[in-house]
Amino acid sequence: MAAKAEFRVMEHVAERRAAVEDRLRAVVEGVEPAELEAGVDAAALGGGKRLRPALTLLVFEAAGGGESERTTALDFAAGVELVHAASLVVDDIIDRSEVRRGEPSAWAAFGYGPALVTSDGLLGEAFALFSGDPAATRVVADAMVELGEGEAIELVERPESESAYLELARRKTGALFRAAAELGALAADADAETVEAFGEYAERVGVAFQIRDDVLDATADSESLGKPTGTDEAMDRPSVLQVTGKRPEAVNELAHEQATAARAALDGLDLPESEALRYLEALSSFAVERER
């Protein structure tokens, strides 16, 4: 089942990835000076699943977006990936991780100062893509507030219960997933209720994704995962396994609960059947069954 879910999701991502990559490349080519372009290029075009921009495009299609709005949807998709890339640059500095996606992380390749400047550059380029739409700008700004609060809480305050951990995961990961989906709905000119429902779906998927990340960090090997494992334990950073004391199998059930709630949010929309909707349903399964 895991392999099937991963294949279905990554199949769709591959179909849309070329367009996202082209848009990201166009953004990177306009960055100045050359030193900043090098950092932004490595961070933005260095690979990755591209799940967040895929989510933006999937929601756009499922919400009935047409060809006339696709350019906006693509800008929003590229923008949310740039925000995600900026957050990873900072994450690797905090974690002192020297590897990202099998390559040197930004700080390992360029140094701490240039890496921080790269993160700023990525965010600047992202907000340039959102700037024509106040609602989109607000959605991403809200997500960044949540993300920053989550990172700060993780550094200074250890969650001591399952509910506290889930709230941390919502802020660290779920908030940007929510933004990605809401951006797709906004690009499709969806009503406020539809935007909110898609956001609820994606936030739940993001929390499931974070739970699975914690499990993989504890159980996978670095080579197959494409980044160092055991980071949570090495840095004494709270993970769902440490907070709950549950075994990986039981923790995966928490992720499945989130995925079920995500699908319920989709069901509440009463959307017409479409390929995009089927992939959104598959994404909720992929989040909890993936192996990297």
Side-chain angles (χ1 to χ4, degrees), residues 157-181:
E157 185 178 320
R158 302 180 67 87
E160 296 181 353
S161 67
E162 183 177 302
S163 61
Y165 170 87
L166 291 174
E167 174 61 14
L168 178 61
R170 184 192 68 78
R171 287 175 161 172
K172 278 182 54 183
T173 306
L176 195 55
F177 270 73
R178 171 182 280 273

Side-chain angles (χ1 to χ4, degrees), residues 140-198:
V140 180
D142 288 347
M144 289 187 63
V145 170
E146 293 273 21
L147 177 60
E149 289 175 348
E151 294 284 8
I153 289 170
E154 187 176 52
L155 287 173
V156 300
E157 185 178 320
R158 302 180 67 87
E160 296 181 353
S161 67
E162 183 177 302
S163 61
Y165 170 87
L166 291 174
E167 174 61 14
L168 178 61
R170 184 192 68 78
R171 287 175 161 172
K172 278 182 54 183
T173 306
L176 195 55
F177 270 73
R178 171 182 280 273
E182 291 186 349
L183 287 168
L186 287 171
D189 198 27
D191 59 47
E193 182 179 348
T194 300
V195 172
E196 171 63 25
F198 274 121

Side-chain angles (χ1 to χ4, degrees), residues 49 99-102 209 212-231 290-292:
K49 300 179 185 69
V99 178
R100 168 66 60 180
R101 297 163 181 159
F209 196 90
R212 184 61 179 163
D213 246 13
D214 284 5
V215 171
L216 291 174
D217 182 74
T219 62
D221 64 87
S222 299
E223 184 176 352
S224 63
L225 201 59
K227 62 181 180 179
T229 56
T231 304
R290 64 195 174 89
E291 297 298 332
R292 60 174 299 152

Side-chain angles (χ1 to χ4, degrees), residues 39-258:
V40 170
D41 186 311
L45 299 174
K49 300 179 185 69
R50 305 300 194 213
L51 287 181
R52 290 157 189 82
L55 181 56
T56 300
L57 295 177
L58 280 167
V59 169
F60 169 75
E61 294 166 15
E67 285 304 313
S68 62
E69 300 97 10
R70 186 167 291 277
T71 297
T72 298
L74 191 56
D75 278 353
F76 288 175
V80 80
E81 182 67 5
L82 291 170
V83 172
H84 176 54
S87 73
L88 295 181
V89 170
V90 176
D91 280 351
D92 288 338
I93 292 174
I94 293 171
D95 295 345
R96 296 187 289 277
S97 176
E98 297 183 2
V99 178
R100 168 66 60 180
R101 297 163 181 159
E103 299 292 335
S105 59
W107 74 264
F110 303 108
Y112 289 110
L116 291 172
V117 172
T118 292
S119 180
D120 288 345
L122 289 161
L123 292 176
E125 296 298 333
F127 275 94
L129 294 172
F130 304 132
S131 61
D133 189 322
T137 301
R138 184 170 59 253
V139 160
V140 180
D142 288 347
M144 289 187 63
V145 170
E146 293 273 21
L147 177 60
E149 289 175 348
E151 294 284 8
I153 289 170
E154 187 176 52
L155 287 173
V156 300
E157 185 178 320
R158 302 180 67 87
E160 296 181 353
S161 67
E162 183 177 302
S163 61
Y165 170 87
L166 291 174
E167 174 61 14
L168 178 61
R170 184 192 68 78
R171 287 175 161 172
K172 278 182 54 183
T173 306
L176 195 55
F177 270 73
R178 171 182 280 273
E182 291 186 349
L183 287 168
L186 287 171
D189 198 27
D191 59 47
E193 182 179 348
T194 300
V195 172
E196 171 63 25
F198 274 121
E200 173 69 15
Y201 153 81
E203 185 174 283
R204 296 284 191 172
V205 170
V207 172
F209 196 90
Q210 182 60 55
I211 293 171
R212 184 61 179 163
D213 246 13
D214 284 5
V215 171
L216 291 174
D217 182 74
T219 62
D221 64 87
S222 299
E223 184 176 352
S224 63
L225 201 59
K227 62 181 180 179
T229 56
T231 304
D232 292 336
E233 183 177 1
M235 296 193 65
D236 193 30
R237 185 171 59 187
S239 75
V240 64
L241 290 94
Q242 177 265 322
V243 171
T244 64
K246 294 180 177 178
R247 297 178 62 83
E249 296 80 4
V251 167
N252 279 333
E253 286 304 311
L254 291 178
H256 278 286
E257 290 172 10
Q258 293 294 319

Side-chain angles (χ1 to χ4, degrees), residues 5-26:
E6 181 163 356
F7 174 77
R8 291 176 64 198
V9 171
M10 300 317 291
E11 177 188 62
H12 181 85
V13 171
E15 292 175 0
R16 302 299 188 271
R17 181 175 183 140
V20 173
E21 295 288 340
D22 286 346
R23 190 67 188 94
L24 288 171
R25 193 169 292 106

